[in-house]
Amino acid sequence: MIHVTVIDRQQNQKTIQIQETEDSNLMQILKEHNYEMRATCGGMALCADCHCLVLQGFDQLQAPLDQELDTLETRPDAESISRLACQLKASESLDGIRIKLTAYAC
Amino acid sequence: MIDTDICIIGAGPVGLFAVFEAGLLKMRCHLVDALPQVGGQLSEIYPQKPIYDIPGYPSILAQELIENLMEQISPFRPGFTLAERVDSIEKDQAGKFTVLTSEKTLITAKVIVIAGGLGCFEPRKPAISGLEDFEGRGISYFIKDPELFRNKKIVLSGGGDSALDWTIFLAEVASELTLVHRGESFRGAPDSAEKVGQLASEGKIRLLLESQITSVSGNGHLQSVTVAGKTRQDFAFEADHLIPLFGLTPKLGPIASWGLALDKSAIEVRLSDYSTSVEGIYAIGDINTYPGKLKLILSGFHEAALMAQSAFKYVYPQQKLSFKYTTVNGINAF
Ligand SMILES: Cc1cc2nc3c(=O)[nH]c(=O)nc-3n(C[C@H](O)[C@H](O)[C@H](O)COP(=O)(O)OP(=O)(O)OC[C@H]3O[C@@H](n4cnc5c(N)ncnc54)[C@H](O)[C@@H]3O)c2cc1C
Ligand code: FES
């Protein structure tokens, strides 16, 4: 089991358990766990709706691809620990991370 | 004042195709979109991505689909008002609608079709204290006419391609140009990034990396910008214009205040014809909701066809509508 701690947009923190799945990603998993998650581009790293800050475990994640880095540039509130949840595969590398969801509007 | 049969709000794929379906029934259309170009999400978010579920096209680029739709609707000569947001819709005693845009364009119509997708695309705004006080008074999010910036002190912020491209362009126009970017380098097109670096080392622009604008101030019009950097103290400098260049994101916007029945951020419609809770107003494409709704282009096309039939009966209750295939008579252009 993979554990991910999520701070939602109302600042509530909860740890969810997820399973390693080949074709799923953290954006989809958050949706399945009923987190409010607009995903205009459906997970193609094009809309930045699924932007999150990785407060813990940033360095253990797979490195972002160019498309993700380009799209992160469109978020004025991006930080050095920003990622797009749709680009994080549901794999062991997520175990123990702590993320914070951010507003869509930014 | 523009007068038309159907005013379509939103020129995404579904709004565009609605012109075709209305045109077959000899109804004229005028389209309004907040974006400066047609195509909605396809042109704005994924113009170069292939789409695989448009019937009859094993694969088609999003932008190509929009170009094809423009060609397909051209016989019906739709009118366009682009780069203007529809702010309000009024219905008079006789049932005629008047639409008012952000630039005060007035459009009268017998029927309104809302094909507003996910809402208006609006610029993402950085968290800068005082930002909204100077919008339109030195702060803008688009560059419509670069000549406005001639011999002015300009500050751009952002790190994407558009920030780089405009820096290169405006370096020649502005009296002083500063680019503020939070990163330590640029990820955009290597050629543009190199050119910006060169302009900075030649002293033609000021480049502030690992920096963020924290506040703006002025007296009725923007006068100064304060920047915080990772490695130095906050400092303020003079600026006539600040242009934050981050992308656009859709927001429901004014649609929420038009008195229509909504479910979350979608307009509730009748399944038979996609009419809304206000007679004479229809909603098609991503903006509507009904049991089983799928936000797909092909669903929006189907909705456009049913809407047009119903709109015709609403406008011409006395006329008989006989259903015909396009293969029977072809397209009768206006
Ligand atoms: C990355 C991505 C991939 C996709 N892939 C597919 C796919 O493979 N197949 C598929 O079928 N669908 C796909 N979609 C979904 C598809 O793009 C949408 O279903 C489609 O764009 C809906 O069209 P629309 O005309 O209803 O709305 P939109 O395309 O959203 O256009 C609505 C327009 O209305 C304008 N507007 C809104 N409010 C106002 C106002 N008040 N005043 C003026 N203008 C206004 C907006 O500016 C916008 O231009 C994808 C979407 C994305 C983002
Ligand atoms: S869902 Fe669009 S960028 Fe992740």
Side-chain angles (χ1 to χ4, degrees), chain B residues 263-308:
Chain B
D263 177 10
K264 292 195 189 116
S265 44
I267 300 172
E268 288 179 349
V269 289
R270 248 170 247 119
L271 250 175
S272 53
D273 60 359
Y274 310 104
S275 54
T276 68
S277 56
V278 176
E279 210 186 1
I281 304 186
Y282 295 80
I284 55 175
D286 277 12
I287 192 72
N288 75 13
T289 184
Y290 51 82
K293 168 73 182 180
L294 275 183
K295 285 187 186 180
L296 284 177
I297 298 165
L298 79 92
S299 323
F301 287 172
H302 163 80
E303 292 162 17
L306 266 64
M307 172 283 296

Side-chain angles (χ1 to χ4, degrees), chain A residues 38 40 44 46-49 66 69-70 72-76 78 104-106, chain B residues 41 45-46 49 118 124-126 159-160 181-182 187 212 246-247 249-251:
Chain A
R38 187 175 87 172
T40 303
M44 292 167 72
L46 287 172
C47 70
D49 281 348
D66 282 356
L69 292 168
D70 288 347
L72 282 171
E73 286 299 357
T74 67
R75 293 282 312 208
Y104 303 126
C106 287
Chain B
Q41 294 171 52
I45 306 181
Y46 60 107
K49 295 276 178 201
L118 306 167
R124 290 198 179 88
K125 298 180 183 179
H181 174 41
R182 76 170 162 255
R187 304 211 8 84
Q212 299 222 32
F246 299 92
T249 187
K251 270 194 197 156

Side-chain angles (χ1 to χ4, degrees), chain A residues 47 74, chain B residues 35-37 44-45 121-124 141-142 246-250:
Chain A
C47 70
T74 67
Chain B
L35 290 173
Q37 80 275 348
E44 188 54 42
I45 306 181
F121 280 92
E122 291 190 1
R124 290 198 179 88
Y141 304 95
F142 300 101
F246 299 92
L248 303 175
T249 187

Side-chain angles (χ1 to χ4, degrees), chain B residues 48 86 189 203 237 255 261 310 316 319 325:
Chain B
Q48 297 311 321
V86 171
F237 56 92
I255 292 174
S310 171
Y316 306 108
Q319 285 191 34
Y325 295 131

Side-chain angles (χ1 to χ4, degrees), chain A residues 19-89:
Chain A
Q19 264 171 355
E20 175 146 13
T21 331
E22 251 312 292
D23 58 354
S24 189
N25 60 58
L26 189 55
M27 177 275 284
Q28 282 172 329
I29 289 168
L30 290 169
K31 251 188 177 177
E32 285 157 18
H33 279 80
N34 295 321
Y35 281 95
E36 187 199 326
M37 181 55 77
R38 187 175 87 172
T40 303
C41 77
M44 292 167 72
L46 287 172
C47 70
D49 281 348
C50 65
H51 174 241
C52 63
L53 299 174
V54 185
L55 305 177
Q56 252 166 42
F58 182 82
D59 292 331
Q60 78 193 49
L61 299 172
Q62 278 174 346
L65 299 175
D66 282 356
Q67 181 61 62
E68 179 179 353
L69 292 168
D70 288 347
T71 298
L72 282 171
E73 286 299 357
T74 67
R75 293 282 312 208
D77 59 342
E79 296 181 20
S80 55
I81 50 167
S82 286
R83 289 298 301 256
L84 297 176
C86 71
Q87 300 304 298
L88 300 175
K89 291 221 174 67

Side-chain angles (χ1 to χ4, degrees), chain B residues 89-98 108-109 314:
Chain B
I89 305 175
E90 303 276 330
K91 191 178 184 185
D92 71 14
Q93 300 271 315
K96 185 128 184 144
F97 292 99
T98 303
T108 55
Y314 169 74

Side-chain angles (χ1 to χ4, degrees), chain B residues 2-8 26-30 89-92 94-99 107-113 278-282 310-312 314-317 319:
Chain B
I2 299 161
D3 185 54
T4 185
D5 294 327
I6 303 184
C7 178
I8 302 174
K26 299 195 168 40
M27 289 187 287
R28 287 178 189 275
C29 296
H30 189 90
I89 305 175
E90 303 276 330
K91 191 178 184 185
D92 71 14
K96 185 128 184 144
F97 292 99
T98 303
V99 165
I107 302 155
T108 55
K110 300 180 182 87
V111 167
I112 301 288
V113 173
V278 176
E279 210 186 1
I281 304 186
Y282 295 80
S310 171
F312 182 90
Y314 169 74
V315 177
Y316 306 108
Q319 285 191 34

